[in-house]
Amino acid sequence: MSTDRDDAKMTTVLFAAPTLWDEYREELPAALAEAGVKADLVLEAAPEMVDYIVYAPSAPLQDFTPFTRTKAVLSLWAGVERIVGNASLTQPLCRMVDPGLTEGMVEWVVGHALRHHLGMDRHIVNPDHVWNPICPPLARDRKVTLLGLGELGAACGQALARLNFPVTGWSRSPRQIPGLRCLSGPDRLAEALTGAEIVVTLLPRTPQTENILNAETLALMARGAVVLNPGRGALIDDAALLAALDAGRIGHATLDVFRVEPLPADHPFWAHPKVTVTPHIAADTRAASAARVIAENIRRGEAGEPFLHQVNRSLGY
Ligand code: NDP
Ligand code: OXD
């Protein structure tokens, strides 16, 4: 459908994530119109006619070679590990940074951190009606570490810091985020993890981050520490985590993402009493706000301005 009748100035936008079309069929034309972009938004097109591709990992499209005039591939997902190494993709790749996604992640991280901080399970599941007046420490006395201080990690770290948790964050390059103790680089990872009682992993999946939580790094955390992983399954060595949970070195793991999704029915995480599985719902791209991000990038492309949130292909995120 066209958002304008002036075909001479139309830019062709291929929406290559058909399973998501229902969510975007109204939001995206509205956002393109709001951005002043005259677009022909299509579900199918001759590749050589396509100016922009809206992409999601579920998209059947894998070979970008015939898209000779395409100016950018715009991902609806924040994590791009499934497309970033695609050798046929030579066009700029932009990932999703969406206020709705960020808000959702902050809520998931804060909610699950507070569950463990306050020991809520003790009172919610109490079949024997035990009067057990264990008072949790104040947040100011509970050390939290965030691995990843990007769009999501920084927002979650700041939300936790506002609740008075002492938050250490760790990233690849140096960062300065008000209210957070920021460390960076492989040499400071041990320092970031040592003594942490709640560890949140919000790193992208890259060769450098794979298995970043392993037997050695899990052992640095405080005894009984809680791990929250809304980043990617591959950040954790599953076997090392299970061993640490069984030994009591890690108290609980709340996991939203897995190496294989849906998590296979026979995976030990499902039945483990110290693991909570959430089905990759920590944060969802919200069509209303995400459509505006896509439209703004198309506007920028048409105006010759730099794209927002362009992926660094050599870093992999
Ligand atoms: P960003 O790219 O904004 O941030 C990534 C952060 O990780 C940056 O701080 C970056 O460091 C750091 N990082 C990357 N590589 C390394 C490394 N080798 N060593 C140390 N730090 C590193 O990503 P987002 O915050 O937007 O998203 C993070 C991840 O969250 C996504 O990649 C995705 O996997 C996941 N996600 C999960 C969702 C869910 O529902 N479960 C929803 C959305 C995203 P630097 O600051 O120096 O660049
Ligand atoms: C994402 C995700 O990367 O949902 O957007 O995991």
Side-chain angles (χ1 to χ4, degrees):
M1 71 281 346
S2 298
T3 56
D4 194 281
R5 292 287 97 211
D6 182 2
D7 286 340
K9 293 181 194 157
M10 286 283 179
T11 180
T12 300
V13 179
L14 174 65
F15 192 88
T19 55
L20 297 174
W21 177 240
D22 278 351
E23 287 177 50
Y24 285 88
R25 65 188 319 150
E26 287 177 12
E27 303 290 359
L28 198 44
L32 287 163
E34 190 182 286
V37 175
K38 295 169 181 172
D40 201 12
L41 181 58
V42 294
L43 291 173
E44 281 177 18
E48 65 278 8
M49 300 307 288
V50 172
D51 296 300
Y52 298 91
I53 299 173
V54 180
Y55 170 89
S58 59
L61 175 56
Q62 291 301 323
D63 181 9
F64 294 89
T65 319
F67 292 86
T68 45
R69 85 171 197 200
T70 298
K71 296 170 199 159
V73 173
L74 307 171
S75 174
L76 292 171
W77 280 43
V80 288
E81 71 281 358
R82 288 205 252 163
I83 183 177
V84 75
N86 185 323
S88 74
L89 177 65
T90 51
Q91 301 86 348
L93 170 66
C94 301
R95 65 188 201 92
M96 181 50 65
V97 172
D98 158 38
L101 189 68
T102 305
E103 265 180 66
M105 186 60 82
V106 167
E107 291 176 17
W108 188 95
V109 167
V110 170
H112 287 279
L114 285 175
R115 168 193 171 193
H116 295 294
H117 167 63
L118 295 174
M120 288 184 188
D121 294 16
R122 232 184 347 260
H123 309 295
I124 293 171
V125 183
N126 187 6
D128 300 327
H129 302 172
V130 178
W131 183 265
N132 186 7
I134 297 178
C135 202
L138 290 175
R140 68 177 69 255
D141 296 318
R142 179 87 70 191
K143 288 185 191 161
V144 176
T145 289
L146 270 141
L147 302 186
L149 285 178
E151 295 291 336
L152 301 178
C156 292
Q158 289 188 298
L160 290 166
R162 277 195 292 274
L163 292 172
N164 279 347
F165 288 101
V167 180
T168 297
W170 180 77
S171 53
R172 185 186 52 80
S173 55
R175 298 250 157 191
Q176 284 192 326
I177 300 172
L180 270 58
R181 171 183 174 238
C182 297
L183 306 175
S184 60
D187 297 349
R188 311 292 298 274
L189 176 63
E191 190 180 343
L193 289 175
T194 299
E197 296 172 84
I198 298 177
V199 172
V200 185
T201 41
L202 271 167
L203 296 162
R205 178 182 184 169
T206 69
Q208 290 72 33
T209 63
E210 181 137 10
N211 288 331
I212 201 149
L213 291 190
N214 51 44
E216 196 184 330
T217 51
L218 289 165
L220 297 168
M221 301 172 195
R223 189 167 180 84
V226 166
V227 172
L228 309 181
N229 182 20
R232 283 293 182 260
L235 301 177
I236 301 186
D237 175 339
D238 290 3
L241 177 61
L242 287 163
L245 288 162
D246 289 339
R249 275 185 283 110
I250 298 297
H252 198 97
T254 297
L255 311 173
D256 185 60
V257 281
F258 305 91
R259 287 167 189 271
V260 178
E261 294 183 3
L263 184 64
D266 60 353
H267 195 288
F269 284 157
W270 278 119
H272 201 289
K274 295 181 185 171
V275 176
T276 300
V277 170
T278 63
H280 201 144
I281 45 76
D284 200 8
T285 301
R286 310 288 158 155
S289 45
R292 289 200 188 98
V293 177
I294 298 288
E296 169 60 10
N297 254 343
I298 295 174
R299 186 202 67 73
R300 284 171 167 254
E302 292 308 281
E305 295 173 21
F307 291 116
L308 296 172
H309 320 308
Q310 195 171 333
V311 171
N312 180 327
R313 304 288 295 276
S314 55
L315 289 176
Y317 69 98

